[in-house]
Amino acid sequence: MATTSHSLSALLKQTTIDDHDAVLKACNISLKQAKGDLQLQHTKFVALLKLDRYDDALRVLEEGGNNLKQKARFERAYALYKVGDLEQAKDIARSIEEERGARHVEAQASYRLENFARAATIYRELAGNQAVFENEENDLRINSGATDAQLEWQRQGYLAQERKPRREDQEAFETAYNAACGSIARGELGQGEVLLKRAKDLCKSLNELSEQEKTAELLPIAVQQLYVLRKLGKTEEAEKLAEEISVQDIPDLSSRQIAQNNKLASASTASNPFLSQRIFESTTTLPKTDTLFRFQAERVQQNGLTLDLLALKTHGVINATSKLLSSSPSISSHTNTLSVINAAAHAQSQLGKLGLKKILPLLEKRPYDVGLVLTIIQLYMLTQNPGSATTVLESLLKRLSEPSFSANQDILHSPGLTATLVSLYSTQNRASQIKSSFAKAASYWRHKSKPPIHLLQAAALSLLSSSSAEHQSLAAQIFSTLHTADPSSRFAIAGYVAGATAHPSPDSPPFPKETDTLTPVARLVAAIDVSALEAAGVPHLPVPASTELTSRKRALEERPKPAKKRVRKSRLPKDYDPAKTPDPERWLPVRDRASYRPKGRKGRAKAAALTQGGMGEKGADAGGGGKAVGSEGVIKAANPVVVGGAGGKGPQKKQKKKGGKK
């Protein structure tokens, strides 16, 4: 062992600290003499890590056995993280106690596994202790900002360390970019646009980066700007920015795919759907080490299916979405979006009654599909049929109320379905059903640890105006819960005071102490002219047409109406006289009219030859039973004449025989 160490030291004297290739060559030479040397194997393993040859490093680790794995646990966790084996990297890093570097690896692996809550906790613990590594404090600030932004995208912003941009966030382009992403996730697009511009300016002003490195950092910022401009409706700026983005120059494959997706989505003019679909599918398959986050992958998948639908690949869309849909109910936005795309493919993108005719049979196969039910409701509303839409939603909620779905009560009382049902009731002025729906949902969520605040606020406000004492009592309890959760909320304070005043407790004062914090009534009504209001009277609002009883019968099939024929303007002759009676035979051909007289001798002869059995004006009956010809020369009636029969005899003339010799 001493000889091996001496040989390695002699070889390493010929190298420098940054010459990792030379270190690797020296280790290989020494390992030929001592293959099982643990120190040599560890040095080779570290040299491969420095050269970013992580697969080769792990191969050396496997050849070294358990002793080498135990000696290089931290380096092994880092190598596994770099090759994409995130679960194993996280477990190994967590098993290493009191190792600050291992905490960083665990946080990074948790971040890529989308366990952002755990990553945020680790970064908070690391920030609470004194930094050990160089630039560690700056790295912690950058990574914490990225984690907080991801928590916002997952609707877990309450776990974020900082929810509002700070002044120090605008000192570096990385922190400004992360702060912008957090603002975008919260829907604060205007603030996100400002922070993205700040990040771009800071990146351009850096002297430490080369032009190539600046381009690699600026392109993802531009892609995010393109998304924000499109969401803000700034179409012209978005199109101009899209032309400046070179997708092929983006080094990260995941960012390149997002850039291609955003460029296709930002096009304002209708492009060729077949060409767009081909461009979309031309993106390279992402490796294991550079994948999209789940919310990004879901949007890309939805856009791809939409392009397939526009390219008339309906059967492919139906097959792809049917494999992803589940038979159990779900309120996942991605699952319900896939259900909507599946319904659109079955209906071949038709709306109205034609679309309903093809989609309604799907409800028998998927009775618990929330996305399908919402699609049917939307189509019914487009056809001005809120009654049928309400019936469909009530049927779904009734099925979800069955004992077999007792574990899915969150879906039954979800804020989205409750709001949809209340909106349908509002279009039909069904006030009692609105309050009952709010009461059921609020009674369920009020005792949860993390209730939907907006649902409780709407329910309390609606139930407070109810004439039912039970509803008013429930509203007072909800306002009390809201006030306890957020004592600074003026909405909760006003509702709490109103509920406590309407239903005072025996041992409480008639007016709670929070009454003094509210704006006085005299100040609220100071700008109101009571006399003018009394003079104006009470307006009578028109009853909406949707409150009328709608037919429960299925509507007839909507067929395309025939094209209307163009009615030409009447063309009257120049010599038209309205006082003169028009000729009744004007619709007959000229030669069939009674007034027709042929011209010329040949014409008159031809007309005479066409007369069948006609008689002169004074002709007698020559055929026994024939009737006289009319005065105008037209035969009005004639009976058939039997010639040469055994009937009566008429006057006969003797026929002259030609003379001749006998």
Side-chain angles (χ1 to χ4, degrees):
M1 178 64 68
T3 305
T4 305
S5 302
H6 179 73
S7 301
L8 178 60
S9 301
L11 291 171
L12 292 178
K13 287 180 181 179
Q14 304 175 6
T15 65
T16 60
I17 297 178
D18 297 330
D19 193 357
H20 305 297
D21 284 321
V23 173
L24 181 60
K25 291 178 182 179
C27 289
N28 289 332
I29 294 173
S30 299
L31 283 172
K32 290 180 181 180
Q33 301 176 3
K35 294 183 179 181
D37 189 277
L38 186 62
Q39 183 65 30
L40 287 174
Q41 290 175 339
H42 186 233
T43 305
K44 180 180 178 179
F45 174 66
V46 174
L48 289 171
L49 290 181
K50 294 290 186 179
L51 294 172
D52 295 341
R53 294 170 57 180
Y54 305 107
D55 292 318
D56 295 337
L58 290 173
R59 195 176 301 111
V60 171
L61 201 64
E62 291 296 330
E63 294 173 356
N66 293 330
N67 291 333
L68 182 58
K69 292 180 181 179
Q70 188 66 24
K71 182 179 178 61
R73 287 192 300 165
F74 168 66
E75 295 88 343
R76 183 189 176 196
Y78 178 75
L80 290 171
Y81 164 74
K82 296 299 290 186
V83 298
D85 196 347
L86 303 176
E87 284 288 352
Q88 192 175 0
K90 183 191 69 173
D91 295 338
I92 294 174
R94 180 178 293 181
S95 64
I96 304 174
E97 299 179 357
E98 298 181 0
E99 178 66 39
R100 194 172 181 86
R103 300 282 76 74
H104 280 278
V105 175
E106 182 187 357
Q108 288 290 336
S110 300
Y111 180 85
R112 291 303 307 174
L113 287 170
E114 303 191 32
N115 188 358
F116 303 114
R118 174 59 182 168
T121 302
I122 296 174
Y123 285 131
R124 195 177 297 113
E125 293 174 356
L126 291 173
N129 301 325
Q130 186 177 1
V132 176
F133 307 108
E134 185 180 0
N135 295 327
E136 183 183 5
E137 185 177 354
N138 185 47
D139 293 341
L140 284 174
R141 188 184 301 113
I142 294 173
N143 293 342
S144 298
T147 305
D148 291 344
Q150 293 289 354
L151 287 172
E152 295 289 353
W153 282 113
Q154 283 196 339
R155 301 295 184 266
Q156 295 179 341
Y158 54 89
L159 298 176
Q161 187 174 359
E162 296 290 340
R163 299 204 64 182
K164 294 295 182 181
R166 299 169 297 179
R167 182 179 298 274
E168 53 266 27
D169 291 336
Q170 302 184 29
E171 296 176 356
F173 79 93
E174 297 96 341
T175 54
Y177 177 77
N178 290 334
C181 292
S183 299
I184 296 169
R186 291 189 297 269
E188 301 169 357
L189 299 178
Q191 188 178 44
E193 183 184 12
V194 174
L195 290 172
L196 286 174
K197 290 181 179 179
R198 175 63 177 171
K200 180 178 287 188
D201 295 338
L202 289 173
C203 184
K204 290 180 179 179
S205 62
L206 284 178
N207 298 325
E208 296 83 0
L209 299 178
S210 62
E211 292 299 326
Q212 185 177 1
E213 291 174 339
K214 286 183 181 180
T215 302
E217 296 290 349
L218 288 172
L219 282 173
I221 300 176
V223 172
Q224 195 74 301
Q225 276 186 311
L226 180 61
Y227 171 81
V228 173
L229 291 175
R230 188 60 181 169
K231 295 289 288 185
L232 289 174
K234 300 180 179 181
T235 308
E236 296 181 358
E237 296 182 29
E239 291 180 349
K240 184 178 179 181
L241 182 60
E243 295 176 356
E244 299 175 357
I245 296 176
S246 178
V247 177
Q248 301 302 324
D249 294 340
I250 301 177
D252 297 336
L253 294 180
S254 58
S255 301
R256 187 183 303 176
Q257 186 174 9
I258 295 174
Q260 187 66 70
N261 177 84
N262 289 359
K263 287 191 70 173
L264 291 174
S266 63
S268 59
T269 58
S271 58
N272 187 342
F274 302 96
L275 181 59
S276 299
Q277 194 261 350
R278 184 177 179 181
I279 295 174
F280 183 85
E281 291 186 346
S282 64
T283 54
T284 309
T285 304
L286 299 179
K288 186 179 179 181
T289 57
D290 189 16
T291 58
L292 298 174
F293 290 103
R294 185 180 64 180
F295 76 96
Q296 295 172 333
E298 290 175 351
R299 300 301 183 274
V300 171
Q301 184 184 36
Q302 295 168 12
N303 291 342
L305 292 171
T306 304
L307 287 175
D308 290 342
L309 197 60
L310 293 175
L312 305 181
K313 296 183 178 181
T314 54
H315 293 290
V317 173
I318 292 173
N319 295 333
T321 52
S322 298
K323 295 177 182 178
L324 299 173
L325 294 176
S326 175
S327 58
S328 58
S330 174
I331 55 175
S332 168
S333 60
H334 178 58
T335 302
N336 290 324
T337 302
L338 293 179
S339 179
V340 173
I341 295 175
N342 179 274
H346 277 92
Q348 297 180 353
S349 302
Q350 292 180 339
L351 300 176
K353 297 179 180 178
L354 291 176
L356 282 169
K357 183 179 179 181
K358 296 183 178 181
I359 294 177
L360 283 174
L362 297 177
L363 194 57
E364 299 178 0
K365 301 178 182 179
R366 309 199 310 256
Y368 303 101
D369 193 333
V370 177
L372 179 61
V373 169
L374 294 177
T375 304
I376 294 174
I377 291 173
Q378 182 66 24
L379 292 179
Y380 271 131
M381 294 303 295
L382 290 176
T383 57
Q384 304 298 324
N385 193 353
S388 298
T390 306
T391 303
V392 171
L393 183 55
E394 289 176 341
S395 301
L396 172 65
L397 298 178
K398 183 178 180 181
R399 292 191 293 269
L400 293 176
S401 302
E402 297 174 357
S404 57
F405 290 96
S406 58
N408 295 322
Q409 294 300 300
D410 287 357
I411 301 177
L412 175 62
H413 301 290
S414 62
L417 291 180
T418 302
T420 304
L421 184 62
V422 168
S423 298
L424 291 173
Y425 285 151
S426 299
T427 59
Q428 304 167 71
N429 289 339
R430 298 168 64 175
S432 60
Q433 286 84 350
I434 291 175
K435 300 183 187 304
S436 299
S437 301
F438 272 136
K440 292 178 182 178
S443 300
Y444 174 78
W445 288 109
R446 191 167 61 89
H447 302 288
K448 297 291 181 178
S449 58
K450 297 178 181 178
I453 300 300
H454 296 293
L455 175 61
L456 293 182
Q457 290 176 346
L461 190 61
S462 176
L463 295 175
L464 190 62
S465 61
S466 175
S467 58
S468 171
E470 181 181 358
H471 287 172
Q472 292 181 1
S473 176
L474 179 59
Q477 297 174 12
I478 296 173
F479 276 119
S480 177
T481 303
L482 294 174
H483 178 58
T484 304
D486 187 7
S488 62
S489 174
R490 299 187 65 82
F491 177 86
I493 293 174
Y496 174 72
V497 171
T501 304
H503 296 274
S505 300
D507 54 347
S508 62
F511 296 99
K513 60 180 181 179
E514 287 82 3
T515 307
D516 299 335
T517 62
L518 298 176
T519 306
V521 177
R523 182 177 175 184
L524 292 175
V525 300
I528 299 177
D529 190 350
V530 180
S531 302
L533 289 177
E534 291 181 352
V538 180
H540 296 280
L541 299 178
V543 180
S546 58
T547 58
E548 299 178 359
L549 294 177
T550 57
S551 176
R552 296 289 182 179
K553 295 183 179 180
R554 188 178 64 182
L556 295 176
E557 181 181 357
E558 184 178 349
R559 297 178 179 177
K561 297 181 180 180
K564 295 183 178 180
K565 295 183 179 180
R566 188 181 63 174
V567 180
R568 295 184 178 181
K569 296 181 180 180
S570 58
R571 298 180 180 178
L572 299 176
K574 296 181 180 180
D575 56 349
Y576 173 73
D577 186 5
K580 184 178 179 181
T581 305
D583 185 7
E585 295 183 348
R586 63 186 182 277
W587 308 114
L588 298 175
V590 177
R591 64 168 177 257
D592 292 342
R593 299 180 187 178
S595 60
Y596 174 68
R597 294 292 183 270
K599 297 181 180 180
R601 184 174 59 183
K602 292 183 179 180
R604 287 192 295 272
K606 185 176 181 181
L610 292 175
T611 304
Q612 300 179 1
M615 301 293 293
E617 293 183 3
K618 297 181 181 180
D621 188 1
K627 293 187 178 180
V629 180
S631 60
E632 295 180 354
V634 179
I635 300 175
K636 294 185 178 179
N639 292 326
V641 179
V642 181
V643 179
K649 298 180 180 180
Q652 299 179 0
K653 294 184 178 180
K654 294 182 179 180
Q655 297 181 358
K656 295 183 179 181
K657 298 181 180 180
K658 290 185 180 180
K661 296 179 180 180
K662 294 182 180 178

